[in-house]
Amino acid sequence: LQTGFDGSVHWQEIEVVNTENGAPEIILYGETKRIADEKGINYIKVSLSHSRETAISMVIGYWQAER
């Protein structure tokens, strides 16, 4: 969201859930959602992976016109 570490985005306002087909999906709440909406971010793609010792994620938020 390009806010850096200014304290406006809180981890408690970002939820990872599974869609019906099991894919991870991000849901934003509160100030974090307001910032994303203000920036026009209406899609968030997430990829998650893990091993026994390590976990990693890649998240991309972007704007896409409705079809």
Side-chain angles (χ1 to χ4, degrees), residues 39-58:
K39 293 179 180 282
I41 296 171
N42 60 359
Y43 286 92
I44 299 176
K45 297 293 184 184
V46 59
S47 177
L48 304 171
S49 185
H50 67 90
S51 67
R52 180 172 282 181
E53 301 84 20
T54 307
I56 189 169
S57 68
M58 176 64 145

Side-chain angles (χ1 to χ4, degrees), residues 16-31:
V16 180
V17 298
N18 289 329
T19 63
E20 288 182 12
N21 67 359
E25 180 177 63
I26 300 282
I27 300 175
L28 303 178
Y29 300 96
E31 181 69 5

